[in-house]
Amino acid sequence: RRAAGRAARRAATGGHAMPLNPARHDPAWLGRLSLALVAVVLLKPLLWATEFKPGLLFEPDALRVMGGFLRSFVPPAHGAAFLGQVARETWATVAMATAGVTLALLLAVPLTLLGTRALSVSALRGRMAALP
């Protein structure tokens, strides 16, 4: 069934496996490729300057430290004191998030209404009068 479909597509496209559709051609591919190459050329010296060396993660000493860290998770802690601390900190996180969202809304809604031309008083009632 698939072979018959492929054969039909090849016949419809003049023997080509993929149709040469100009609408599917990306006219900006050269610019994107150039930008990617420029980014690599600019970022490589920055990685050298910051001494970015991901290969150090796979050295024996680093692997031993990471293994010890991961082993410390097994078995997981589930004592009453620990779970109480987790619950308190979770509640503090929820409280901070709620306060942040509330403050953001208190600032965002009035500023949005002031900045939106479509909701301005002149747009709702026509041209504003010179005097109230």
Side-chain angles (χ1 to χ4, degrees):
R1 188 171 164 163
R2 286 184 183 170
R6 278 189 231 127
R9 277 194 299 275
R10 276 195 201 104
T13 60
H16 297 288
M18 292 288 296
L20 299 175
N21 185 356
R24 295 188 71 186
H25 174 71
D26 183 8
W29 76 271
L30 186 60
R32 291 180 186 161
L33 179 64
S34 301
L35 184 64
L37 291 174
V38 167
V40 167
V41 167
L42 292 177
L43 288 177
K44 191 159 186 166
L46 293 176
L47 292 175
W48 284 335
T50 59
E51 297 180 8
F52 178 70
K53 298 174 184 172
L56 294 177
L57 292 173
F58 300 104
E59 289 187 351
D61 290 338
L63 289 174
R64 193 174 320 107
V65 171
M66 285 189 284
F69 175 70
L70 293 175
R71 278 190 299 276
S72 70
F73 286 99
V74 178
H78 55 277
F82 176 72
L83 293 178
Q85 182 182 3
V86 168
R88 279 191 304 279
E89 299 305 322
T90 301
W91 185 247
T93 302
V94 169
M96 284 186 266
T98 303
V101 169
T102 302
L103 287 174
L105 284 173
L106 288 175
L107 285 172
V109 171
L111 290 174
T112 302
L113 292 175
L114 286 174
T116 303
R117 187 177 171 114
L119 296 176
S120 68
V121 175
S122 62
L124 295 176
R125 288 192 276 165
R127 189 154 177 84
M128 287 181 69
L131 298 172

